[in-house]
Amino acid sequence: MEQIKGKLAIGELHIVDNTSSKVKSDIWQTFGIIKDNDGNTVSGFAACKKCKKVLAYNSRKLGTSSLKKHTTDTCRDTGVAAIDTYFLRNAAALKPPKQEDKEAITQLAVKFGLIDIGARVGSVDAQQLLPDPTTVSRRLTNQVDDTRQKIIPELWMQLTDCSGAVTVDMWTDDYRKIGYLCVTLHYINNRWELTERVLCTSEWDSELRKTAENIRPAIIQALRKYSLDEFFSKLVYVTDRGANIVTALRSVTRLSCAPHILNTVLHTAIGKPSEEDVFSEEVSAVIDSSKSLVTYFKQTNLQTRLKKTLKASVKMRWNSLHTMLERGEHTHLANINKKTLSDIVAFLARFKEAIKALEASKTLTIHLTVVWLEHLKRHLQPSSTDSLMLTSLKEKCLKILSDKFHLHLLHKLAMFLHPKLKSMKLLSNQAEVNTVHSEARRLVQGKIKLRDSTASPHVHHQRRGQKRIADVDDSSDEGLQPEDEVAAYINYKTPKEDPFDLLCWWREHATVFPNLALIARSVLAIPASSAASERDFSAAGFVIQERRTQLKPGTVDDMLFMHIILTGSGGCGLVKLDPCRTLVYLSFFK
């Protein structure tokens, strides 16, 4: 019977009407006999036309009683017809929805929520209750506009007091090939909370080339939506190393995305090996065999037999290559050196760990750049136990890493602003350490000047003969000198708690080091990667699907903005939702 079910599922057998002249029972309106592709009848069995269940049937011994029992007891409650019948039977009992209920469901549709109307008012016609997609789309636009206006004062205050960072990336959807520009703002608010706001996922004008001359105004326009365009030169930008974006941001401070550089190192070394590379043939053989294995398991449906399904690697995402090799069923790889496979997995594991740490979105990452760069350099030092293949691979990657990864002063300053890393032992010499200390003092001096220049101009005249407490007490209104605050921080006792909360530490010590605290809010908010924009594009991939390609780019921008707000990344005091579940409700929109 199981074999027959399997053949029904793949189309080798078919359910057809029983046209025998001896048929008298009405049960054959529900059931049919089974025939193969050549028209031969499979005797001894019948199949339900509704649920496709196969039952044993012998007209002489059993009759149709077993078929009738299936119809009345089993199939009756599972078919679609039963649901239709229920609605038709209860159509007269449906109550017209109230206007306030329709308004509530419209608002909740904008916020991707649900409302329990039936339990409160009884049976309601869902068709009358659910709003038209155009209504929801328009309401969404209004909601987004209102929310943007509400957060402008917060963003303005943040960038006036401290600073922030912006990640920029570009993406093209798979269906209509529309280009998008994503601009995301990162900052630490005055409550010492790391905040991320997607300012826009805007359509790229198809008539414009993606040149530096066009990218720069587009970024400024994204900031202008929030009246932040005057801060363009004050912000720090984190992007990939694309020549057009690098040129567009040449006049401002720009950092390269650290994980992107690490992926480039692996892509150059492994993805594009030269003939002189000793490791190229051996590594390529392992990778190609693993890819063939994954393809074979997927095509033959053998994935279901594995405890952990095999994963295919993705170009320029070398973490996926590690996952593929690590999860691969090594026993299925024929003619492959298991030692080579083990060495490659261990080699890639360190890169995967570094990329994952530097792409984190909920924690600070900029101070980890120097740390992970040093870890990787040590990882790439050949050891006496390494094979010739592994030694050659490490030497090639170390050379590329040294050529492509150049630390910015902000990376070093961020490490200094971590109390446990302030000694900066990872830097190569004392001259680098002194440079960081000098930069910290310069920035502190700038913060003091800024505070003095922004002091309130309204001075109350004191009455003649009236003395102030400040005129007679022994205290001074002058705070620590810049070098004193930096020196005091350097000599401050290093915290020993583990795990260590960096934001919490600075919040508690903001009164001790007030100027350094403002600098920490600006510097530590810089992400080590531009992964935030890539995550936004991943969400866009769930929105723009095969059956929803007619979404207007402006609607896509609004939906992604609300998605970030509602999932908690953007704050605003709204309820956090499961991102995957949130995107399910995006089907309301046109």
Side-chain angles (χ1 to χ4, degrees), residues 13 16-17 45 57 98 106 113 116-117 130 157 162 177 196 200 238 264 308 350 376 399-400 434 437 483 492 520:
L13 297 178
V16 299
D17 290 334
F45 297 96
Y57 168 69
K98 297 180 180 179
T106 301
D116 191 357
I117 294 291
L130 293 176
M157 180 179 64
C162 298
K177 304 303 178 183
E196 173 187 304
C200 76
V238 181
T264 302
K308 289 186 177 181
R350 202 61 170 164
L376 288 174
K399 182 180 184 304
I400 299 172
N434 294 337
H437 291 170
E483 58 272 13
Y492 198 81

Side-chain angles (χ1 to χ4, degrees), residues 438-473:
S438 299
E439 178 66 10
R441 290 187 172 94
R442 186 188 70 80
L443 292 174
V444 167
Q445 182 63 51
K447 288 297 179 185
I448 292 177
K449 289 181 179 179
L450 179 63
R451 285 183 169 186
D452 291 343
S453 64
T454 56
S456 174
H458 303 291
V459 179
H460 297 284
H461 299 282
Q462 70 181 76
R463 297 176 183 176
R464 182 176 300 178
Q466 181 181 2
K467 290 185 178 292
R468 300 176 301 167
I469 296 178
D471 294 331
V472 296
D473 68 0

Side-chain angles (χ1 to χ4, degrees), residues 5 134 144 160 165 213 250 253 256 263 305 334 364 393 398:
K5 290 181 180 179
T134 302
V144 169
T160 301
E213 293 76 13
R250 181 176 294 170
T253 304
S256 294
N263 272 305
R305 300 185 184 181
L364 304 177
L393 179 59
L398 181 59

Side-chain angles (χ1 to χ4, degrees), residues 89-108:
R89 185 172 64 250
N90 294 277
L94 294 176
K95 298 180 180 179
K98 297 180 180 179
Q99 185 59 37
E100 54 265 33
D101 291 333
K102 295 182 67 175
E103 177 66 22
I105 200 71
T106 301
Q107 188 64 23
L108 285 167

Side-chain angles (χ1 to χ4, degrees), residues 4 8 13-16 32-36 39-43 45-47 53-55:
I4 294 175
L8 276 174
L13 297 178
H14 308 278
I15 305 172
V16 299
I33 60 175
I34 303 171
K35 291 188 176 183
D36 60 19
N40 301 316
T41 301
V42 179
S43 59
F45 297 96
K53 185 172 183 178
V54 178
L55 299 177

Side-chain angles (χ1 to χ4, degrees), residues 139-203:
R139 185 70 60 86
L140 171 69
T141 300
N142 296 334
Q143 182 83 19
V144 169
D145 291 341
D146 291 343
T147 305
R148 280 178 175 148
Q149 291 301 315
K150 288 179 181 178
I151 67 175
I152 285 177
E154 175 191 340
L155 302 183
W156 181 273
M157 180 179 64
Q158 163 64 29
L159 297 188
T160 301
D161 292 345
C162 298
S163 185
V166 169
T167 52
V168 181
D169 206 349
M170 306 188 77
W171 172 75
T172 302
D173 79 80
D174 293 332
Y175 299 100
R176 297 173 64 188
K177 304 303 178 183
I178 295 177
Y180 289 86
L181 172 72
C182 181
V183 179
T184 308
L185 179 65
H186 307 258
Y187 61 92
I188 297 172
N189 62 28
N190 55 12
R191 297 183 299 278
W192 288 94
E193 297 168 340
L194 183 62
T195 308
E196 173 187 304
R197 295 197 183 279
V198 177
L199 301 184
C200 76
T201 311
S202 56
E203 178 185 13

Side-chain angles (χ1 to χ4, degrees), residues 274-461:
S274 62
E275 295 181 357
E276 294 78 18
D277 293 328
V278 176
F279 61 85
S280 60
E281 184 176 347
E282 200 169 350
V283 173
S284 297
V286 171
I287 294 175
D288 292 342
S289 296
S290 297
K291 288 182 178 179
S292 299
L293 175 68
V294 174
T295 302
Y296 173 75
F297 267 70
K298 287 186 174 182
Q299 291 179 347
T300 57
N301 201 29
L302 291 174
Q303 290 269 49
T304 56
R305 300 185 184 181
L306 303 178
K307 292 181 180 180
K308 289 186 177 181
T309 57
L310 301 183
K311 302 295 181 182
S313 64
V314 181
K315 185 180 180 182
M316 283 302 293
R317 291 292 182 270
W318 292 90
N319 282 356
S320 63
L321 175 62
H322 174 268
T323 302
M324 180 185 74
L325 296 175
E326 181 186 41
R327 193 171 291 186
E329 296 292 303
H330 299 176
T331 56
H332 295 285
L333 291 173
N335 302 321
I336 290 297
N337 188 319
K338 300 300 188 295
K339 178 66 167 58
T340 301
L341 178 61
S342 178
D343 286 345
I344 296 175
V345 169
F347 172 80
L348 291 174
R350 202 61 170 164
F351 280 88
K352 181 178 181 179
E353 189 178 358
I355 292 172
K356 186 176 181 181
L358 295 172
E359 284 185 342
S361 61
K362 303 298 183 183
T363 57
L364 304 177
T365 56
I366 183 67
H367 64 285
L368 297 175
T369 309
V370 180
V371 177
W372 276 110
L373 178 60
E374 184 62 27
H375 282 331
L376 288 174
K377 285 183 177 179
R378 294 177 182 177
H379 174 63
L380 294 176
Q381 293 294 333
S383 69
S384 57
T385 58
D386 290 341
S387 64
L388 181 61
M389 178 278 299
L390 189 56
T391 299
S392 174
L393 179 59
K394 285 184 175 182
E395 290 175 348
K396 179 71 175 287
C397 287
L398 181 59
K399 182 180 184 304
I400 299 172
L401 182 65
S402 301
D403 291 342
K404 293 185 177 295
F405 209 132
H406 303 290
L407 288 173
H408 192 279
L409 183 57
L410 284 173
H411 291 128
K412 303 172 186 177
L413 183 61
M415 182 174 64
F416 171 68
L417 291 170
H418 192 297
K420 287 194 171 188
L421 302 174
K422 63 185 178 181
S423 63
M424 296 181 285
K425 296 178 181 178
L426 294 177
L427 297 186
S428 58
N429 53 61
Q430 187 60 38
E432 284 189 277
V433 175
N434 294 337
T435 301
V436 176
H437 291 170
S438 299
E439 178 66 10
R441 290 187 172 94
R442 186 188 70 80
L443 292 174
V444 167
Q445 182 63 51
K447 288 297 179 185
I448 292 177
K449 289 181 179 179
L450 179 63
R451 285 183 169 186
D452 291 343
S453 64
T454 56
S456 174
H458 303 291
V459 179
H460 297 284
H461 299 282

Side-chain angles (χ1 to χ4, degrees), residues 22 57-64:
K22 298 181 180 180
Y57 168 69
N58 188 310
S59 59
R60 294 184 179 181
K61 296 181 179 180
L62 300 176
T64 58

